[in-house]
Amino acid sequence: MREKVVLSGMRSTGKMHLGNYFGAIKNWVDLQEKYRSYYFIADWHALTTDYDDTTQVAENSLEVLADWLAAGLDPERSVIFLQSFVPEHAELHLLLSMITPLGWLERVPTYKEQIRELKKRDLSTYGFLGYPVLQTADILLYRADFVPVGEDQASHLELSREITRRFNNNYGDVFPEPKALFTPTPRVPGLDGRKMSKSYGNTIDIADSPEVIRAKCQTMFTDPTRVRRSDPGHPETCNLFAFHKLVSPPELRDRVERECRLAQIGCVDDKKLLADRLIAFLEPMRLRREELMADKGELLNILRKGSDRARERASETMRRVRSEMTLDYDYLRADPLEAT
Ligand code: TRP
């Protein structure tokens, strides 16, 4: 059987945080052992919201790459590349845009939601409406079977499947229908208890130094019903404990849980314990990342190499697409073998 292809991407929004790590990257690292994996940095997708100031996009792409590599994505095992280094994404996006009804795009729940949420930005652009069409091109270009994404991407993947069916029915079977791979991920709360997200400013980043982690831990929300030190705590609703579950060894986790319920340990002490664990957990990644960021030329080389490999598969797909759409022109020659 053909080896299954996995593909996923992230927008170049800058430094990755623990939510990105536990919610996606860690899973990608595991998947690269089992599948033919393609992971890319969606710098063009970053422009759909950040088109007015594009000065940080390139720098952000390298920050993302450094985090990925530090977290264990391996350019030898996976094809790691940059969207804009593979111009076929733009070509396929254009062709798919021709067969995508406006109504399908306007119905995507994230579309209106985001326009409402990001009020500061004018998102009434052609590019922003077409975001999921570009995403579909990203996926189909590699004829991916599986797309590991978070639940928030479900509607985009549904749309991708619809566009795939429309293409295959209209022109010929080129693409497998890509399936979303929703892998169970732990809840990663932010410092304030809401979902960890860069836009909320409540993150702990892979790049954070021990001092920064300590300071951030001190500001973390804990069990709101535990007002006095002598009140018993409720680990199941406490943010600190959610993090213990992610980064602490079982002995420490169990001890904290027990002592918190009995009010033997206070939130301040617990924050110190947690900070130590977070620092130890992130230390190897942070150091590796620092090394990587010290040589941006080398990071670019890695992206160039990966993108060349990605392009091999992408250009093969585009040959088939042009052929099925009778747009390859060379078929009009009397002797097709003369094709250049
Ligand atoms: N939209 C995805 C996100 O915000 C990023 C993305 C762009 C993507 N193209 C993709 C994810 C293709 C999977 C496949 O997370």
Side-chain angles (χ1 to χ4, degrees):
M1 211 178 65
R2 177 177 73 88
E3 204 188 350
K4 297 283 187 196
V5 172
V6 156
L7 172 133
S8 199
M10 271 184 210
R11 293 159 24 107
S12 7
T13 48
K15 294 190 175 68
M16 301 277 108
H17 52 69
L18 283 175
N20 302 127
Y21 178 75
F22 286 108
I25 305 169
K26 183 170 185 285
N27 183 33
W28 295 4
V29 171
D30 297 337
L31 288 170
Q32 68 183 348
E33 307 295 330
K34 275 190 265 161
Y35 297 100
R36 190 157 161 202
S37 309
Y38 289 80
Y39 299 117
F40 76 100
I41 299 163
D43 57 342
W44 279 338
H45 271 110
L47 301 180
T48 58
T49 51
D50 296 355
Y51 59 83
D52 51 348
D53 179 6
T54 55
T55 55
Q56 300 307 305
V57 175
E59 183 79 33
N60 282 349
S61 295
L62 293 194
E63 300 272 9
V64 172
L65 179 65
D67 280 324
W68 283 5
L69 299 178
L73 283 187
D74 179 355
E76 301 294 320
R77 289 205 169 87
S78 306
V79 181
I80 299 174
F81 67 100
L82 182 70
Q83 188 180 35
S84 69
F85 282 178
V86 185
E88 284 82 355
H89 287 253
E91 183 181 359
L92 186 56
H93 168 251
L94 177 132
L95 295 175
L96 296 179
S97 78
M98 302 299 168
I99 63 166
T100 306
L102 269 183
W104 289 8
L105 296 173
E106 288 161 346
R107 269 202 305 277
V108 174
T110 48
Y111 177 62
K112 293 207 174 91
E113 228 169 78
Q114 289 243 47
I115 288 189
R116 240 181 292 122
E117 263 172 40
L118 302 174
K119 276 192 231 56
K120 289 164 286 173
R121 305 216 168 102
D122 179 6
L123 295 181
S124 58
T125 59
Y126 180 47
F128 185 68
L129 179 68
Y131 183 115
V133 184
L134 181 57
Q135 179 161 350
T136 303
D138 299 336
I139 298 166
L140 297 192
L141 204 43
Y142 303 91
R143 285 163 275 137
D145 300 288
F146 299 114
V147 185
V149 282
E151 298 280 351
D152 61 318
Q153 295 292 310
S155 62
H156 286 169
L157 256 291
E158 239 354 278
L159 182 71
S160 293
R161 292 162 61 81
E162 280 183 285
I163 297 174
T164 306
R165 286 193 285 271
R166 182 172 269 229
F167 184 98
N168 286 344
N169 287 336
N170 245 314
Y171 307 114
D173 256 315
V174 177
F175 304 115
E177 263 182 50
K179 285 183 209 49
L181 204 61
F182 301 119
T183 27
T185 51
R187 190 179 87 88
V188 185
L191 301 171
D192 57 3
R194 292 186 289 174
K195 183 184 162 168
M196 187 177 284
S197 159
K198 195 177 179 99
S199 54
Y200 292 152
N202 64 0
T203 66
I204 295 173
D205 299 339
I206 291 177
D208 281 345
S209 68
E211 302 73 51
V212 169
I213 293 176
R214 274 185 219 292
K216 283 184 175 177
C217 280
Q218 279 173 23
T219 71
M220 273 171 85
F221 285 28
T222 56
D223 173 6
T225 64
R226 189 173 183 193
V227 183
R228 280 170 298 260
R229 168 71 174 75
S230 55
D231 293 340
H234 304 86
E236 63 281 1
T237 56
C238 176
N239 279 336
L240 296 186
F241 195 66
F243 281 100
H244 276 300
K245 284 200 269 187
L246 296 171
V247 300
S248 296
E251 309 80 56
L252 177 63
R253 197 196 322 156
D254 295 348
R255 195 190 107 204
V256 165
E257 178 167 21
R258 193 175 58 246
E259 295 183 358
C260 171
R261 287 192 201 286
L262 296 169
Q264 290 172 349
I265 181 179
C267 297
V268 177
D269 305 319
D270 191 9
K271 285 175 175 179
K272 286 188 190 127
L273 287 175
L274 180 65
D276 288 339
R277 286 308 313 154
L278 279 169
I279 290 164
F281 177 80
L282 286 173
E283 168 106 324
M285 285 193 247
R286 183 178 52 85
L287 294 178
R288 174 96 181 91
R289 167 184 217 293
E290 247 166 50
E291 255 170 54
L292 288 160
M293 282 306 282
D295 190 350
K296 292 191 182 155
E298 182 49 29
L299 284 176
L300 274 171
N301 287 343
I302 292 172
L303 275 187
R304 285 274 177 216
K305 262 199 225 143
S307 302
D308 286 346
R309 282 171 70 197
R311 236 182 142 181
E312 285 170 27
R313 191 163 171 92
S315 54
E316 167 61 26
T317 302
M318 287 317 296
R319 268 196 294 279
R320 293 197 211 173
V321 166
R322 288 185 216 110
S323 164
E324 292 296 337
M325 294 180 78
T326 55
L327 290 171
D328 62 351
Y329 284 77
D330 276 326
Y331 85 99
L332 295 173
R333 288 178 194 278
D335 177 5
L337 291 179
E338 274 175 46
T340 45

